[in-house]
Amino acid sequence: MMVDRHNDDFEPVAWARGIPLGLTALLVLAHLVFALLAVAFREWPGLMEFAFSSEASLRGALWQWVTYPFLHLEVMSQLNPILFAIELLLFFSFGREVERYLGKRRFLALYALLALVPALVLTLLGPLMPSLLYGSRDLHFGIFIAFATLYPGVEFFFGLRAKWVAIGLVGFFGLFSLAQGGAAGYTALTTLLVDTAVAWALVQHLRGALELPRIPSFLPKRRKTPQRPPHHPPRETPTEEDPMSAIDPLLDKINQEGIKSLTPAERHRLAEARERLLNRPK
């Protein structure tokens, strides 16, 4: 596990009347505000300038790489506002757990890559496949893929584990995009596969389970003058983290609110700590 949790990166971003607000909550609020603005300015002819277009991107409209996830044109139909609300609810549930594990900076980097990498790929494919993209559905699905990568054993409905739910949803959405056909279908399929790959690869890299390729540098290397290594006193070997310190907050929560108040991720962490205590040498 390569994530260092002992810094302010795991503190709330803000507080509202004593309630901690994380980065996930602020992103949900931002999407709600921009969705309302899209409805209010739906007659504005320049609204589509904020959607991603591969043709416009090739002409230099790179701001669309950042604005398209916050352009929610789908909320203007009758059924899609309900689907949009469900999307934000699921994003808040899974994104909060991913943010707790990665920290604010790494979570924001993941969120940015889930928006920018599909835009880059679609821009490169623009001469072969013109594409138009707006909304955050695939981006937030990538957050769920990150959650399933972090906690593959968490059980959902009918006892299905998160890993298999993620694989099934990728297959279902992929087949649906292929059945849709045309430029819209291939754009949706490309975005789905790219976001899935980015979320899985980055989380595995941060956990130390995957080494990402490094970008080669074509600049000449500077010669370094050999220096004597500084003398450091020997450090004490760090002791293994006490499992009780990891489950004390969960036990306090159970005492105050009951075991049903634990989230699936917290139940998973409690089970891991219990196994470490059982396997601990006497």
Side-chain angles (χ1 to χ4, degrees):
M1 191 177 301
M2 304 299 291
V3 178
D4 178 21
R5 306 176 191 278
H6 302 284
N7 53 48
D8 60 352
D9 201 30
F10 295 86
E11 297 296 327
V13 177
W15 295 81
R17 296 185 177 181
I19 300 176
L21 296 178
L23 186 58
T24 304
L26 296 182
L27 285 172
V28 170
L29 180 61
H31 282 284
L32 286 173
V33 170
F34 282 107
L36 294 176
L37 290 176
V39 174
F41 292 93
R42 59 182 177 272
E43 302 297 336
W44 182 38
L47 188 63
M48 290 304 296
E49 291 296 324
F50 297 97
F52 171 81
S53 169
S54 59
E55 297 179 353
S57 181
L58 289 172
R59 294 195 301 266
L62 300 183
W63 69 84
Q64 297 178 348
W65 294 23
V66 179
T67 58
Y68 81 87
F70 298 94
L71 182 62
H72 297 287
L73 300 179
E74 67 273 15
V75 299
M76 299 180 188
S77 64
Q78 293 182 351
L79 181 61
N80 282 334
I82 300 177
L83 299 179
F84 176 66
I86 295 175
E87 173 197 328
L88 291 186
L89 178 62
L90 294 177
F91 166 62
F92 178 75
S93 300
F94 298 121
R96 185 173 51 178
E97 297 299 329
V98 176
E99 181 184 353
R100 285 174 180 173
Y101 186 96
L102 298 181
K104 296 190 292 291
R105 294 180 180 86
R106 293 183 178 91
F107 180 78
L108 184 60
L110 171 63
Y111 201 86
L113 288 175
L114 290 175
L116 298 178
V117 176
L120 172 62
V121 173
L122 291 174
T123 300
L124 296 177
L125 296 177
L128 302 176
M129 183 185 68
S131 56
L132 178 67
L133 187 62
Y134 54 84
S136 57
R137 184 191 63 183
D138 292 321
L139 190 159
H140 290 161
F141 182 73
I143 296 296
F144 170 71
I145 295 296
F147 173 85
T149 306
L150 288 171
Y151 306 106
V154 173
E155 293 186 355
F156 289 96
F157 39 82
F158 303 113
L160 292 176
R161 298 184 181 273
K163 176 178 65 175
W164 301 115
V165 173
I167 293 174
L169 289 177
V170 171
F172 173 78
F173 290 138
L175 291 176
F176 180 80
S177 299
L178 286 176
Q180 185 179 359
Y186 292 122
T187 299
L189 178 62
T190 302
T191 307
L192 170 69
L193 296 179
V194 170
D195 276 338
T196 299
V198 168
W200 178 85
L202 184 59
V203 170
Q204 290 290 74
H205 173 67
L206 293 176
R207 296 177 64 187
L210 178 67
E211 185 68 26
L212 296 178
R214 297 181 179 180
I215 301 176
S217 176
F218 298 98
L219 298 177
K221 295 183 179 181
R222 297 177 59 184
R223 295 183 179 180
K224 296 183 179 180
T225 305
Q227 299 178 355
R228 296 181 59 184
H231 175 71
H232 295 288
R235 297 182 180 180
E236 297 181 359
T237 304
T239 57
E240 183 181 1
E241 181 184 0
D242 184 9
M244 290 302 300
S245 64
I247 64 174
D248 280 343
L250 301 180
L251 295 177
D252 293 339
K253 185 176 181 180
I254 293 175
N255 291 332
Q256 296 176 4
E257 305 177 19
I259 195 171
K260 293 184 179 180
S261 64
L262 296 181
T263 63
E266 291 172 339
R267 293 174 183 267
H268 186 69
R269 292 200 297 268
L270 184 62
E272 286 184 344
R274 177 178 176 274
E275 291 181 2
R276 291 176 58 189
L277 285 172
L278 293 177
N279 297 330
R280 192 174 185 179
K282 297 182 181 180

